[in-house]
Amino acid sequence: MTPDTTVPARKGLLNALGLHRPELRAWAMYDWAVSAMQTVITTAVFPIYFISVAGADMPKPQATAWYSWANTAAAVLIAVLSPILGAMADYRSAKKRFLRVFMLLGVFSTMGMFFIMHGDLFLAATLFVLSLAGATGSMTFYESLLPHIAREDEIDRVSTGAYAMGYIGGGLLLAINLAWISNPALFGLPSGDNLTPAEATLPARLAFLSVGVWWLLFSIPMLRGVPEPPRRIETDETPTGNAVVVAFSRLRETLGELRLYKQAFLTMLAFTIYNDGIQTIVRMATVFGEELGLPRSDLITAVLIVQFVGIPFAFLFGTLASRLGTKRSILLGLAVYTGICIYAYTIHTVTEFYVLAGMVAMVQGGTQALSRSLFASMVPKHKSGEFFGFYSVFEKFGGILGPAVFGIAVSTTGSSRSAILWVIAFFVVGGAMLMTVNIAEGERMARDADARTLSA
């Protein structure tokens, strides 16, 4: 759907937050829904459960390796499927249909984690791969709806507003889950020293079940309130063609015409590099904290700090982009990330680690949300599913090199403290590449490509 630009934008707080129309609020609710999976399953609770319960029958390094391979398997699966399915969704005008399929895959896989017990490593790995694939795949089609529902002058605010909603939703359910995991008796759950394995793991398993229910429930506004974009086909296509054949034809055509979408491609490359640095900080934060000797409870508190402090700053970045420009706002975020690395090198105490978490919260959501909206502004709308399929691939594989470099640095220096300084290179190189992007040219090429399509 193309927003009606003849109607003046509604003023007030909701307009400033990018949530001023019903379809925008409905779209943002999916960030609220899926972020619970990202906080509870991929960050805070399930990784510990995977190693200490599902992998209890083997040494921790071996269980950790299984968890790493499960992450890799999900990334490879989505890397193969996203561009192809994205092109099919564009051709058939089926973005929401594909989103629904991946969402349900993720929801039921996450609910199935309730049945993971002591030693169920293969079941845990399988469900985690399916859950992660469901979340990542659904986000590909969710994000491809952004250029269809938001005008050019509001796309940054809409993207950052949705990220803020994700912080609220993910942080709220994580806080609830941690409350009943830490104090099960308060919620009428089994507690004490003489519990059976099923009773001892019940709070964590209920947390996994609650994520699936939360994800499903809060997906309903987006599924009901966001219309499917109208179907557009290219001049050399017919409405009755084979979707798979057309998808591969479009992919081949896009790869051969990357020079026409040079600015979008440069944005994707720049994002891949600096996002590698962002993901390294996210993934290695707990390792870094444990090396400092911080208690696990303090590390989880730091995760909550990032979630809730990030809410106002995600909104703030949407307003900042309207004044400084999207590219400059992202570069500002990367400059702060450079400062974060330098500060991390100096810290020793829990309080300083909390300050570090607060600094990350200031820029994490805003930088990633503006990267999403910047890319969305430079892709042809009739190919948004395909392009966001590529974006998903670049986003996931953008988290591979950073941890590898971090590991090499730790091996070389013997300390995560020194290794964190190596991450600065990703922000410098990615930021330098982003500076070469000509946004106006990228937007013009996208509009020209859309003008050459036909209604179907």
Side-chain angles (χ1 to χ4, degrees):
M1 181 185 72
T2 302
D4 182 5
T5 56
T6 63
V7 180
R10 183 172 152 194
K11 302 299 182 182
L13 179 61
L14 289 180
N15 180 64
L17 300 180
L19 303 172
H20 48 291
R21 292 197 302 274
E23 71 272 17
L24 300 182
R25 293 190 290 274
W27 182 79
M29 283 304 296
Y30 193 71
D31 252 303
W32 172 296
V34 77
S35 290
M37 184 273 176
Q38 295 164 348
T39 55
V40 177
I41 304 300
T42 66
T43 303
V45 181
F46 186 75
I48 298 171
Y49 190 90
F50 186 98
I51 293 170
S52 61
V53 178
D57 292 338
M58 61 176 59
K60 283 190 176 181
Q62 190 174 349
T64 301
W66 269 77
Y67 184 74
S68 177
W69 280 114
N71 271 283
T72 302
V76 171
L77 180 63
I78 292 301
V80 172
L81 292 180
S82 288
I84 300 170
L85 295 181
M88 291 175 62
D90 287 334
Y91 176 67
R92 286 297 186 194
S93 188
K95 293 179 177 65
K96 288 180 61 181
R97 191 183 314 162
F98 279 98
L99 191 160
R100 187 183 301 112
V101 169
F102 275 97
M103 181 269 292
L104 291 175
L105 171 66
V107 164
F108 290 118
S109 299
T110 304
M111 288 181 176
M113 292 176 177
F114 176 82
F115 300 101
I116 299 173
M117 301 298 291
H118 184 99
D120 291 336
L121 190 65
F122 182 77
L123 176 63
T126 301
L127 290 176
F128 180 64
V129 168
L130 294 176
S131 178
L132 192 56
T136 306
S138 67
M139 285 298 291
T140 296
F141 300 103
Y142 164 69
E143 291 177 329
S144 73
L145 293 169
L146 176 58
H148 295 276
I149 65 168
R151 296 191 301 263
E152 291 181 6
D153 64 320
E154 64 188 10
I155 194 168
D156 290 326
R157 298 197 310 279
V158 173
S159 185
T160 54
Y163 252 85
M165 294 292 286
Y167 274 132
I168 298 172
L172 182 59
L173 186 61
L174 176 60
I176 295 171
N177 288 164
L178 292 178
W180 75 50
I181 290 172
S182 302
N183 300 284
L186 187 63
F187 294 85
L189 298 174
S191 62
D193 298 327
N194 299 314
L195 300 178
T196 66
E199 291 174 333
T201 59
L202 182 60
R205 292 187 292 117
L206 285 175
F208 306 150
L209 185 63
S210 73
V211 170
V213 174
W214 183 282
W215 188 354
L216 179 63
L217 179 64
F218 290 109
S219 296
I220 294 174
M222 187 277 304
L223 294 174
R224 293 176 61 88
V226 178
E228 179 70 40
R231 188 181 183 194
R232 306 288 297 183
I233 62 173
E234 300 187 350
T235 54
D236 59 345
E237 297 171 348
T238 62
T240 57
N242 184 290
V244 177
V245 173
V246 172
F248 278 100
S249 176
R250 283 193 174 192
L251 288 174
R252 184 172 60 252
E253 177 184 287
T254 300
L255 290 172
E257 295 179 347
L258 282 178
R259 59 184 177 82
L260 297 178
Y261 307 111
K262 177 183 176 182
Q263 305 308 320
F265 186 66
L266 274 175
T267 300
M268 219 165 23
L269 285 180
F271 173 71
T272 301
I273 295 171
Y274 64 71
N275 186 54
D276 218 325
I278 294 173
Q279 294 304 315
T280 300
I281 290 176
V282 171
R283 295 180 186 186
M284 305 311 294
T286 54
V287 174
F288 183 66
E290 288 184 359
E291 187 175 303
L292 293 177
L294 305 182
R296 182 171 292 171
S297 60
D298 289 319
L299 299 180
I300 293 178
T301 300
V303 173
L304 289 173
I305 288 174
V306 172
Q307 288 297 123
F308 289 107
V309 175
I311 296 168
F313 283 98
F315 283 125
L316 178 63
F317 261 81
T319 302
L320 190 66
S322 65
R323 299 185 179 183
L324 290 183
T326 309
K327 186 164 70 173
R328 288 179 181 174
S329 298
I330 295 173
L331 291 172
L332 175 62
L334 298 183
V336 174
Y337 266 118
T338 300
I340 287 171
C341 293
I342 296 172
Y343 177 71
Y345 179 79
T346 68
I347 69 173
H348 295 86
T349 67
V350 170
T351 301
E352 290 172 331
F353 193 78
Y354 287 165
V355 172
L356 183 68
M359 293 173 66
V360 171
M362 289 170 57
V363 291
Q364 180 173 293
T367 303
Q368 292 181 307
L370 291 182
S371 299
R372 175 171 68 182
S373 60
L374 177 62
F375 181 71
S377 71
M378 293 188 286
V379 303
K381 291 182 180 180
H382 75 284
K383 285 190 171 186
S384 63
E386 177 185 345
F387 271 81
F388 270 98
F390 282 120
Y391 186 82
S392 178
V393 173
F394 277 66
E395 181 178 24
K396 292 306 172 188
F397 280 88
I400 294 176
L401 184 58
V405 169
F406 192 90
I408 293 171
V410 171
S411 300
T412 302
T413 65
S415 169
S416 295
R417 187 180 300 278
S418 298
I420 198 72
L421 295 177
W422 290 37
V423 180
I424 293 174
F426 291 99
F427 302 126
V428 174
V429 175
M433 185 174 292
L434 182 64
M435 290 178 67
T436 67
V437 173
N438 186 325
I439 298 176
E441 180 185 340
E443 292 174 341
R444 179 178 60 80
M445 295 307 302
R447 287 193 298 268
D448 290 347
D450 282 325
R452 295 193 294 269
T453 61
L454 305 171
S455 297

